Amino acid sequence: MGRSCNLLFNLAVFILLRDHTSLATIPNISTDEATLLALRSHISSHPNNILASYWSSSTPICRWIGITCSSCHHRVTALDVYSMQLHGTIPLHLGNLSFLISLDISDSTFHGGFPEELAHLQRLKLINVTSNNFTGANSSFLSLLPNLRFVYLSSNQFAGKIPTSFSNLTKLGSVENTEKFSQWRDPSRN
Ligand SMILES: *[C@@H]1O[C@H](CO)[C@@H](O)[C@H](O)[C@H]1NC(C)=O
Ligand SMILES: *[C@@H]1O[C@H](CO)[C@@H](O)[C@H](O)[C@H]1NC(C)=O
Ligand SMILES: *[C@@H]1O[C@H](CO)[C@@H](O)[C@H](O)[C@H]1NC(C)=O
Ligand SMILES: *[C@@H]1O[C@H](CO)[C@@H](O)[C@H](O)[C@H]1NC(C)=O
Ligand SMILES: *[C@@H]1O[C@H](CO)[C@@H](O)[C@H](O)[C@H]1NC(C)=O
Ligand SMILES: *[C@@H]1O[C@H](CO)[C@@H](O)[C@H](O)[C@H]1NC(C)=O
């Protein structure tokens, strides 16, 4: 599988390069590393300094706790760091995780709002921010995510309403893909 992925990827890179697109503009795992380092620096406290060992700079990010990478594209596909009592805010950079499918930062004390850049997470299928201290009313980015199926926002301090455009997410709430979905989700959660 990895092999045919790589062939396709190389072909895509070849075509991009032929079209004079610079390789420097193609996001890769280094982009994801920069993003996660930005997130780590936006987390001001965590119990027992857990991130120092869970998200150590000397460990490749794909082996960090709560991080899943796709073997195919070697990009971060899941950021599942729930119940870690992380206290912090969401940096703009998070929108650079362009292969992200699952974002679960539930059961912590993240606060503030969601940056508009999250609308770049076009592959995102699940967002779980349940039980945090988010106050940002603007959740409009959610309606710009065509693949979103599972949205959990409860137990926060939101003041605003869920935008009406939200209803145009036709895939939302459909459960037929739950099984497929759980293949790359942490099985211990189900
Ligand atoms: C990722 O892209 C940068 C340029 O944006 C490049 O310098 C770097 O070598 C690439 N890293 C990998 C692992 O491909
Ligand atoms: C990631 O996103 C931030 C803010 O949106 C941006 O400034 C930065 O250049 C982006 N790219 C990388 C590789 O971090
Ligand atoms: C969302 O987060 C809450 C709190 O951590 C958890 O109880 C729930 O199972 C999560 N839902 C999904 C679908 O992951
Ligand atoms: C969450 O927000 C409420 C209201 O603003 C505040 O009283 C509480 O201390 C916050 N909790 C944490 C853990 O930051
Ligand atoms: C809310 O966010 C969307 C995109 O995420 C942006 O277009 C819009 O201007 C924002 N609205 C407010 C009131 O900030
Ligand atoms: C949903 O509607 C908004 C504006 O109402 C639009 O910008 C957005 O592209 C639509 N999303 C999808 C997935 O069609």
Side-chain angles (χ1 to χ4, degrees):
M1 184 180 95
R3 200 183 174 126
S4 64
C5 287
N6 286 337
L7 277 174
L8 278 175
F9 180 73
N10 290 339
L11 187 64
V13 169
F14 173 75
I15 290 170
L16 282 168
L17 287 178
R18 203 193 47 183
D19 291 346
H20 311 294
T21 309
S22 154
L23 194 57
T25 65
I26 305 171
N28 59 27
I29 192 72
S30 309
T31 318
D32 294 351
E33 182 176 28
T35 304
L36 293 177
L37 289 173
L39 176 61
R40 196 178 66 176
S41 72
H42 277 71
I43 296 171
S44 54
S45 72
H46 36 96
N48 306 319
N49 205 23
I50 52 169
L51 287 187
S53 53
Y54 284 16
W55 286 15
S56 159
S57 305
S58 58
T59 307
I61 56 165
C62 291
R63 294 219 299 267
W64 284 9
I65 303 237
I67 303 299
T68 307
C69 293
S70 78
S71 50
C72 184
H73 297 99
H74 198 47
R75 295 289 307 278
V76 170
T77 54
L79 171 53
D80 291 337
V81 289
Y82 46 84
S83 304
M84 286 194 193
Q85 296 172 61
L86 307 177
H87 185 75
T89 56
I90 302 301
L92 313 179
H93 303 69
L94 212 67
N96 291 347
L97 291 180
S98 49
F99 275 74
L100 200 67
I101 298 170
S102 172
L103 174 61
D104 188 341
I105 51 171
S106 63
D107 195 17
S108 270
T109 54
F110 281 101
H111 56 280
F114 300 114
E116 284 177 27
E117 282 75 7
L118 295 190
H120 299 151
L121 302 177
Q122 290 288 301
R123 289 176 169 85
L124 200 68
K125 287 184 185 162
L126 176 145
I127 180 166
N128 190 350
V129 299
T130 299
S131 301
N132 274 285
N133 241 1
F134 285 111
T135 44
N138 193 354
S139 309
S140 302
F141 74 96
L142 290 171
S143 59
L144 302 171
L145 302 176
N147 291 304
L148 207 55
R149 285 178 178 77
F150 306 92
V151 179
Y152 304 91
L153 306 172
S154 64
S155 302
N156 279 286
Q157 323 257 349
F158 296 122
K161 284 186 186 163
I162 299 290
T164 45
S165 57
F166 206 54
S167 56
N168 68 0
L169 287 169
T170 49
K171 286 180 183 168
L172 201 64
S174 85
V175 289
E176 72 242 311
N177 289 308
T178 310
E179 215 167 277
K180 247 194 229 163
F181 190 74
S182 62
Q183 286 173 3
W184 50 265
R185 290 271 297 156
D186 176 358
S188 67
R189 279 217 108 182
N190 298 315

